[in-house]
Amino acid sequence: MTGVEFLASFLRTGRLHGIGIGSTLGEVDRAVRHRFVDVVDEEGRSLRRDYGFVEFYFNHGNAWVMSGGSIELHRLASGPDGAEDWARTTGVEFPRYVAWGDVRDALARVPGAPELEVGDQGGFLEYRAAASHVSVIVVDDEEEERGYHAGHGDVWSVSLWAPVRAS
């Protein structure tokens, strides 16, 4: 699967390899077989699992439960090693740069694609899919060229966030 197809599916479902908000650490371990580093906060209440350019965040209650995640695509511009390792373990192949236009075109072909709200983030645009709790940050500075970082029109990152619960 291409990274663009993967991102379009993620925007539609809010799920990565079948996991998402509320998944347990054990479910993540079964779904993603890739090397990682765990970073637990000093109080032992939150965990960040870092797979390189992909990170998942967990809160601790009775068990570690996923509360969010991010795909830091801008990290791929400085070198393809992370993408090659990820492709080997997950079957998803990301290019060095991911153009938002390519993701948007792929999303248009996905049945039930969510509506996207657009916001300005000062040099970036945020495309937010409220239905799936996924947002995409895109470089919006026309002066930014591709090099060791993403350029104008490229996806900077994609984030999964937990819905706000009414009290």
Side-chain angles (χ1 to χ4, degrees):
M1 171 184 282
T2 70
V4 169
E5 294 166 334
F6 179 79
L7 292 173
S9 172
F10 181 42
L11 273 159
R12 161 67 179 87
T13 65
R15 310 290 288 177
L16 294 147
H17 301 296
I19 56 174
I21 299 298
S23 293
T24 65
L25 195 55
E27 290 169 330
V28 172
D29 287 341
R30 287 187 292 280
V32 181
R33 305 249 183 214
H34 190 79
R35 59 190 165 89
F36 59 85
V37 174
D38 281 341
V39 180
V40 179
D41 75 338
E42 291 180 15
E43 293 83 30
R45 290 182 288 197
S46 67
L47 164 71
R48 178 176 56 90
R49 176 159 286 179
D50 188 342
Y51 294 91
F53 73 98
V54 176
E55 297 180 350
F56 298 130
Y57 313 109
F58 299 85
N59 292 328
H60 196 279
N62 295 331
W64 289 110
V65 177
M66 187 185 295
S67 59
S70 63
I71 304 170
E72 302 294 334
L73 293 166
H74 62 92
R75 293 183 185 171
L76 298 178
S78 61
D81 294 347
E84 290 169 1
D85 289 345
W86 188 257
R88 214 174 359 267
T89 60
T90 66
V92 178
E93 296 182 25
F94 282 97
R96 184 172 177 193
Y97 308 100
V98 177
W100 170 240
D102 294 344
V103 176
R104 193 178 52 235
D105 290 348
L107 185 60
R109 294 187 296 273
V110 173
E115 289 189 33
L116 301 173
E117 300 171 18
V118 183
D120 186 354
Q121 297 291 325
F124 297 91
L125 291 176
E126 179 184 28
Y127 293 86
R128 214 167 154 90
S132 60
H133 306 286
V134 175
S135 63
V136 180
I137 302 295
V138 177
V139 179
D140 189 41
D141 184 341
E142 292 185 24
E143 307 265 326
E144 288 296 327
E145 295 182 15
R146 287 179 170 173
Y148 286 108
H149 52 82
H152 178 71
D154 288 332
V155 176
W156 184 263
S157 65
V158 181
S159 298
L160 175 65
W161 34 273
V164 177
R165 295 192 178 140
S167 36

